[in-house]
Amino acid sequence: MTTRILFATRFYEGDLADDALLDELAEAALDLSREDKAGRAWCRDHAYPGYTSYASLNDLPIRNPVFDDLRRVLDRHVRRFCDEAFLDLVGKKPKLDSLWANVMKGTGGHHSGHIHPHSIVSGTIYLRVPQGAAGLKLEDPRLGLMMAAPLRRADAPEDARSFVYAEPKPGAIFLWESWLRHEVPAGRAKSERISLSFNYR
């Protein structure tokens, strides 16, 4: 008798490994949070707990060269992830489609469960992660189809759980296929969590 594990979901964890670039990116994100009036207004109108440039700015790599430096680093990580996920891109290189800054409130800052339509790979790079900041919560993509299935036991291995939590640190790069539902639970940090999120097509 054998039991096989089928339909595995890949989740990639990399590292920027460049402290100077990390600091520049964090300062650039904070500058955006102060200067982007349209973004601040959108966050206020939609009760977003902090700041995001998601709905206001779509040209960060052109706006500031430090974001383009990051794009070149991300390109390499995304190509590696696509290869490890066996994605058949037929000679096409994945291309950065959108990049946005997130400056999330330390206490209570959260982002509800969602996916990223019209993309193939999504991800986040973490710039500042204070103690008490929430990680990334990943949801089993089959969850909505399980109907009468019982809950998983507390001793279930990671690949059998309904939810997996990825704990970031500064410089961490997380990548996943864009259909994977994820969220950021409410944090309890005393300072802001700063990250950049992105989509590739």
Side-chain angles (χ1 to χ4, degrees), residues 11 13 138 140 155-166:
F11 180 74
E13 298 181 65
L138 304 159
D140 184 337
D155 66 345
E158 185 177 71
D159 64 5
R161 295 178 194 164
S162 297
F163 299 97
V164 173
Y165 295 83

Side-chain angles (χ1 to χ4, degrees), residues 64-83:
N64 187 328
V66 72
F67 294 119
D68 197 47
D69 292 343
L70 173 64
R71 178 196 57 78
R72 285 193 287 273
V73 173
L74 293 177
D75 283 352
R76 292 193 299 270
H77 285 273
V78 169
R79 284 195 298 269
R80 188 175 307 131
F81 172 66
C82 288
D83 185 56

Side-chain angles (χ1 to χ4, degrees), residues 43-55:
C43 294
R44 182 187 63 244
D45 293 345
H46 292 83
Y48 186 85
Y51 163 79
T52 180
S53 65
Y54 177 77

Side-chain angles (χ1 to χ4, degrees), residues 53 57 60-61 67 70 74 96-101 196-199:
S53 65
L57 300 174
L60 295 191
F67 294 119
L70 173 64
L74 293 177
L96 182 69
D97 178 63
S98 52
L99 172 72
W100 62 97
L196 297 166
S197 296
F198 48 88
N199 291 321

Side-chain angles (χ1 to χ4, degrees), residues 11-13 126 133-138 158 163-169 174 176 183 185 193:
F11 180 74
Y12 177 97
E13 298 181 65
Y126 296 85
L136 182 67
K137 182 179 179 181
L138 304 159
E158 185 177 71
F163 299 97
V164 173
Y165 295 83
E167 299 298 333
K169 62 180 182 179
F174 290 169
W176 57 89
E183 66 180 280
R193 193 193 76 167

Side-chain angles (χ1 to χ4, degrees), residues 6-131:
L6 303 177
F7 310 118
T9 299
R10 265 70 179 179
F11 180 74
Y12 177 97
E13 298 181 65
D15 189 0
L16 181 63
D18 185 333
D19 290 343
L21 180 56
L22 192 66
D23 288 342
E24 286 185 75
L25 289 165
E27 289 304 317
L30 286 171
D31 286 345
L32 290 175
S33 73
R34 291 186 287 263
E35 298 168 6
D36 177 15
K37 293 180 182 178
R40 290 204 321 270
W42 184 92
C43 294
R44 182 187 63 244
D45 293 345
H46 292 83
Y48 186 85
Y51 163 79
T52 180
S53 65
Y54 177 77
S56 55
L57 300 174
N58 62 3
D59 61 350
L60 295 191
I62 297 170
R63 183 175 294 270
N64 187 328
V66 72
F67 294 119
D68 197 47
D69 292 343
L70 173 64
R71 178 196 57 78
R72 285 193 287 273
V73 173
L74 293 177
D75 283 352
R76 292 193 299 270
H77 285 273
V78 169
R79 284 195 298 269
R80 188 175 307 131
F81 172 66
C82 288
D83 185 56
E84 292 175 0
F86 302 97
L87 300 183
D88 186 356
L89 300 178
V90 196
K92 175 186 170 186
K93 288 184 180 178
K95 183 177 179 182
L96 182 69
D97 178 63
S98 52
L99 172 72
W100 62 97
N102 308 293
V103 181
M104 191 170 283
K105 287 182 179 177
T107 299
H110 67 282
H111 195 36
S112 59
H114 61 285
I115 61 171
H116 294 214
H118 312 298
S119 304
I120 59 172
V121 173
S122 298
T124 299
I125 176 168
Y126 296 85
L127 309 178
R128 293 191 183 160
V129 186
Q131 185 176 2

